[in-house]
Amino acid sequence: MAGCLDACHLPDWECFDKIREKRNSIASCAAGTMFAIGWWVVADAAAIFPDPADFPRACHTAGVFSTLGLIMINSVSNSQVRGDVSDGGCLGAIGAKIWFFTGFILSFGALIAAAWILFDLYVVNVGVKPEWPGIAIFLQNTFIFFSAIVFKFGRSEDLWE
């Protein structure tokens, strides 16, 4: 699963050689941009709707858990998940897989929670509350989720060795 983008190849044109060399930089910049856009969107909604009746502060917990999931997913290397490293650790490869899976559960659970917040608080009550805070929470968690995926699977660990 960790090498799912390794099978994707660019054509053998000379201009793509530089892109291949900068794969880690491009993936890192793209992931960082998506992460920043996610938090920027929710900061915009919080600035536009400061009243807790329009935008309850508890809605921010989905973004916090999504960010925590991003950190958990990317704190484990692909070689640790595969069990290639021999340094062990607390639980070895099993612990790395549990940590990795827990990070995905947090990220995906936060995305589901953001959809729930969007529909329960804002779509059902159309006209009662402004819709933008719910859309912002959903967009934030979507951007952070895809940021975690791009940062994890878009980079190649072969260039580190």
Side-chain angles (χ1 to χ4, degrees):
M1 182 171 151
C4 63
L5 293 180
D6 289 339
C8 297
H9 298 289
L10 295 173
D12 288 332
W13 298 334
E14 287 183 31
C15 61
F16 287 125
D17 289 339
K18 291 182 181 181
I19 293 174
R20 279 189 202 101
E21 293 171 2
K22 298 182 186 232
R23 175 181 172 178
N24 289 355
S25 298
I26 292 169
S28 298
C29 288
T33 302
M34 285 190 283
F35 181 80
I37 288 171
W39 276 103
W40 188 270
V41 165
V42 83
D44 174 64
I48 293 173
F49 301 102
D51 186 18
D54 291 335
F55 190 20
R57 301 298 171 238
C59 293
H60 292 289
T61 55
V64 171
F65 280 109
S66 188
T67 302
L68 183 62
L70 177 138
I71 293 168
M72 289 177 70
I73 289 168
N74 290 293
S75 64
V76 179
S77 70
N78 293 338
S79 59
Q80 288 174 324
V81 173
R82 284 190 307 262
D84 294 344
V85 292
S86 61
D87 60 356
C90 184
L91 294 173
I94 299 296
K97 289 175 186 176
I98 291 170
W99 186 261
F100 184 70
F101 185 66
T102 305
F104 264 113
I105 288 173
L106 277 176
S107 290
F108 196 65
L111 188 60
I112 292 171
W116 187 347
I117 290 168
L118 170 64
F119 286 102
D120 187 40
L121 296 180
Y122 297 100
V123 173
V124 172
N125 300 322
V126 174
V128 178
K129 288 185 176 182
E131 295 86 14
W132 175 239
I135 295 169
I137 289 291
F138 183 73
L139 284 175
Q140 174 200 27
N141 286 281
T142 303
F143 276 118
I144 293 173
F145 181 75
F146 286 117
S147 170
I149 290 173
V150 167
F151 194 70
K152 181 66 178 176
F153 300 118
R155 298 177 302 141
S156 173
E157 289 182 2
D158 298 337
L159 300 175
W160 299 346
E161 298 171 356

